[in-house]
Amino acid sequence: MPIQEGFPNQRLSVVPRRVVAEAHARPVTRRLMVTDCGYYPKATDHLMKRPNGTEETILILCTAGTGWANVGGAQHRVGSNAALVIPRGTPHSYGASADNPWTIWWCHLRGSDLAELVEEIGASASRPVVPIRRLDRAVALLDEIVTILERDHSPASRMGAAGAAWKLLTQIVVDRAMPAPGDPLQRAMAYLAERLDSTVRVADLASLVGVSPSHLSAMFRHATGGGVLAHHTALRMAQARNLLDTTDATVATIAREVGYPDPFYFSRHFKRMHEASPTEYRNRAKG
């Protein structure tokens, strides 16, 4: 039940439900679509209550001020640089704080792929508030969504909004997985990237960044899907591919530059990863 809407300089677009139904039947937008979106600056007295939830998943990005949300019976504070994600069908209410009302960009989403995207973000009814690391990128994408749907609700516009929404959700996933500047994982990754021509011991690297080897390995697995040494190898192989593609350096020279004194071992390792020897890779047509 809407309690208060209408804010100076607000923006708002609501896609008619017959148009939503049409989009739900189309091959691309049935996977993800934006049904409503808007921008409420300094939304004094903003309050929304939906005791039975709604058909859509709601994403609210707070860029300034503060707000609150009650999701599934639990109370949460929503500060700036955070997103509130409320899964479809979840009873909820939310609003601006009285002393420092929030400024928000928001959208309502439907689609067959949406539940998986929300899960990847790490949001749920019990954990609806997630930090946003790159607020500028998130705002730019929500601005794009609102701008597209303010223009019209044509199939092309609906697809454009869906694409921006997909980018928004996946960007939140990527930003949350990657390390913040200065934290141990970021410093460890930077150290590895600067030492492609040498081997690195996990214990030494962990000591350097101030965590245990097991904790460092766990952080790498979460961020990259593999361990510390697997990430270092991937960096070395990426540099090897770059040198094969952009220089006429010999395989032996490239092997040394990426930390393999034995060019035959390097070639065997390269072939296991790429199903082609360095020479075969270099001679492939690309682009």
Side-chain angles (χ1 to χ4, degrees):
M1 177 178 66
I3 304 299
Q4 173 70 36
E5 287 188 5
F7 309 101
N9 301 313
Q10 77 167 33
R11 299 167 66 187
L12 175 65
S13 181
V14 177
V15 180
R17 281 343 188 220
R18 63 171 183 79
V19 178
V20 171
E22 178 188 340
H24 187 68
R26 288 181 173 266
V28 175
T29 46
R30 71 184 175 206
R31 299 176 63 186
L32 184 67
M33 72 184 83
V34 181
T35 65
D36 313 75
C37 58
Y39 167 64
Y40 293 167
K42 202 170 183 180
T44 302
D45 295 330
H46 180 219
L47 176 64
M48 188 68 68
K49 293 183 178 180
R50 297 187 183 96
N52 298 314
T54 186
E55 289 287 331
E56 296 82 35
T57 290
I58 300 168
L59 187 150
I60 297 173
L61 180 69
C62 180
T63 63
T66 59
W68 59 270
N70 187 299
V71 181
Q75 194 79 5
H76 304 271
R77 179 185 182 274
V78 186
S80 59
N81 286 52
L84 172 66
V85 182
I86 305 174
R88 66 183 297 270
T90 305
H92 63 268
S93 58
Y94 54 78
S97 65
D99 57 342
N100 187 21
W102 62 9
T103 291
I104 57 173
W105 292 84
W106 57 272
C107 62
H108 293 199
L109 303 163
R110 294 189 190 185
S112 60
D113 290 354
L114 184 55
E116 290 184 3
L117 288 164
V118 170
E119 183 178 358
E120 286 296 314
I121 288 173
S124 65
S126 61
R127 189 187 176 193
V129 180
V130 296
I132 299 296
R133 183 166 296 162
R134 286 295 307 273
L135 189 66
D136 55 339
R137 288 194 292 204
V139 168
L141 288 164
L142 279 158
D143 184 25
E144 182 178 346
I145 291 168
V146 175
T147 299
I148 289 171
L149 292 179
E150 281 177 331
R151 183 175 63 236
D152 61 54
H153 299 147
S154 66
S157 291
R158 298 196 304 264
M159 190 173 294
W166 187 280
K167 174 64 174 173
L168 170 65
L169 296 175
T170 54
Q171 192 62 62
I172 293 172
V173 174
V174 171
D175 287 345
R176 283 173 57 78
M178 297 309 292
D183 78 9
L185 180 58
Q186 186 273 333
R187 289 187 284 122
M189 285 182 164
Y191 185 91
L192 294 177
E194 293 169 357
R195 288 160 177 79
L196 301 183
D197 60 349
S198 60
T199 58
V200 176
R201 294 180 65 247
V202 175
D204 293 341
L205 181 59
S207 177
L208 181 69
V209 301
V211 298
S212 69
S214 60
H215 184 50
L216 183 65
S217 296
M219 288 193 295
F220 267 88
R221 284 194 298 272
H222 176 72
T224 70
V228 178
L229 299 183
H231 180 71
H232 197 209
T233 297
L235 294 176
R236 295 159 82 185
M237 287 297 160
Q239 176 64 357
R241 293 193 302 272
N242 178 58
L243 293 171
L244 288 166
D245 287 335
T246 61
T247 75
D248 58 3
T250 66
V251 171
T253 298
I254 292 172
R256 287 194 299 273
E257 290 204 25
V258 296
Y260 291 86
D262 182 348
F264 297 104
Y265 177 72
F266 165 72
S267 294
R268 289 195 300 272
H269 197 171
F270 189 96
K271 188 167 185 176
R272 280 200 303 272
M273 293 190 68
H274 301 89
E275 299 182 349
S277 70
T279 300
E280 290 168 340
Y281 173 85
R282 172 176 268 167
N283 292 334
R284 281 179 180 172
K286 304 182 183 73

